[in-house]
Amino acid sequence: YPKLEKVPDVVPTKLTNSRSLSPPHHKHPASPRSSPRVPGSPNRSAIRTKSNRTPSPAHEIKKSSPKISNKLKKPQEIIPQFYFPMGKPSSPPQKLDDSRLTKIKDLFEECKDGLIAKKDFASVTKAAGLPLYWKCPLFEACSSSDICSYPQFLQVYEYLETHCHNECSKFMRVLTKGTRSHLIWEDFSNLIQDVIDTHPGMSFLDDAPEFHARYIETVTGRIMYTVNRSWSSR
C-alpha cells in the first residue's frame, strides 16, 4: 500500500472583530427608529409624513389657477332699498308745477301788501293741492304771526313737494313744523279746533265752547288708540 501523507490539523482563525457574531442575550436588537442615521440617507419620518399628506382639491385649484377660484366665489347680493320714511320718490324726480305756483302767487298779490291772513288761508291751501282742513297747521308752519307772505309759503311748499313723497310725510311735516319725526297729542289741537270752528257739521258746538276741549281730547285719544299701539303717546 502507498504511504499516506499526514494532513495538518485545521486551526480556526481568530476573529479580528472584537464584537461577537451573536448579540448578547441581555440586549435587544436595535430598533430602526433608534438606529443611527447614516449621513446622506433620507429621514424616514419626513418621508412618511410627506407621503401621508394628501392635498385637498380646493388647495390644488387655488395653487394652480387663481382665476378659477375667483369664479367659484358667490357674488355679493345687493338688496335694493325698501324703506322710505318720507315716501318712495318718483322717477324722474317730481318738479314744481309752474302753473300752480303762478296761481298761488296771484292770490297773495290780490291781498294788501301781498300778505294773507290766517282766516283767508283756505284758498291758498286748495290752490296748493292740499286737503282743505290742513289750512290752519299749514299757516302755522309758514308763519308765526297773523299774516303770511308768499316767500314764507314758498319755502314750506317747496320742501313738501321735493322731500315729502306721500300725504303721510307731508302731514307729518306740516303738523310738526319739521321739528320731529313723530306726532304727539298737542300737534292735533289746532287742527281739530279749526274743524270745530269752520266745519258746517260742527255748528252745534258754537254755543258750547266749554265742550271744545273735551271734544279735542276725545278725538285725539281715538286717533292715538287706533294708530299708536305701543302706548308711547307718539
Side-chain angles (χ1 to χ4, degrees):
Y1 298 97
K3 188 177 180 179
L4 299 175
E5 295 181 0
K6 186 178 180 181
V7 179
D9 297 332
V10 178
V11 180
T13 59
K14 293 183 178 182
L15 295 175
T16 58
N17 191 359
S18 60
R19 296 179 61 182
S20 174
L21 294 176
S22 60
H25 295 288
H26 63 279
K27 291 184 178 181
H28 297 284
S31 173
R33 295 183 180 179
S34 61
S35 60
R37 180 183 174 189
V38 179
S41 63
N43 191 353
R44 292 187 180 89
S45 61
I47 296 174
R48 183 171 59 256
T49 305
K50 186 176 182 181
S51 61
N52 293 336
R53 187 178 298 170
T54 305
S56 62
H59 177 74
E60 290 293 333
I61 292 174
K62 185 176 181 181
K63 184 178 179 181
S64 60
S65 55
K67 294 183 179 180
I68 298 178
S69 62
N70 294 333
K71 293 181 180 180
L72 294 178
K73 292 181 180 179
K74 187 178 180 180
Q76 187 177 6
E77 185 179 359
I78 299 176
I79 301 176
Q81 183 180 355
F82 57 89
Y83 175 62
F84 300 92
M86 304 298 287
K88 189 174 182 180
S90 59
S91 181
Q94 186 176 359
K95 297 181 180 180
L96 295 176
D97 190 351
D98 294 335
S99 60
R100 178 175 290 178
L101 290 177
T102 303
K103 185 177 180 180
I104 295 173
K105 189 175 181 179
D106 292 340
L107 292 174
F108 278 90
E109 291 178 350
E110 291 174 0
C111 300
K112 184 179 179 181
D113 298 331
L115 301 174
I116 294 183
K118 187 176 182 179
K119 60 183 181 63
D120 300 325
F121 211 70
S123 58
V124 177
T125 306
K126 289 198 290 186
L130 299 174
L132 175 61
Y133 287 96
W134 286 19
K135 60 183 185 295
C136 179
L138 179 62
F139 180 90
E140 294 175 351
C142 297
S143 175
S144 57
S145 62
D146 294 335
I147 53 178
C148 177
S149 64
Y150 177 73
Q152 289 176 318
F153 170 80
L154 185 61
Q155 183 179 2
V156 176
Y157 182 71
E158 283 183 347
Y159 187 90
L160 292 178
E161 292 298 314
T162 56
H163 293 79
C164 304
H165 305 288
N166 55 23
E167 286 193 351
C168 293
S169 59
K170 291 179 180 179
F171 185 70
M172 182 82 65
R173 173 64 177 79
V174 169
L175 261 66
T176 63
K177 303 177 181 64
T179 58
R180 293 186 307 275
S181 59
H182 59 272
L183 297 173
I184 57 177
W185 280 68
E186 290 76 10
D187 293 331
F188 296 94
S189 298
N190 292 339
L191 172 66
I192 300 174
Q193 183 64 54
D194 182 62
V195 173
I196 294 174
D197 295 338
T198 60
H199 195 281
M202 304 298 296
S203 58
F204 67 94
L205 289 176
D206 293 344
D207 298 331
E210 64 274 9
F211 288 103
H212 290 186
R214 296 294 180 89
Y215 182 84
I216 293 172
E217 183 180 358
T218 302
V219 175
T220 305
R222 184 64 181 174
I223 293 173
M224 288 292 182
Y225 178 80
T226 305
V227 179
N228 178 235
R229 298 302 179 90
S230 61
W231 299 98
S232 60
S233 299
R234 58 176 63 182

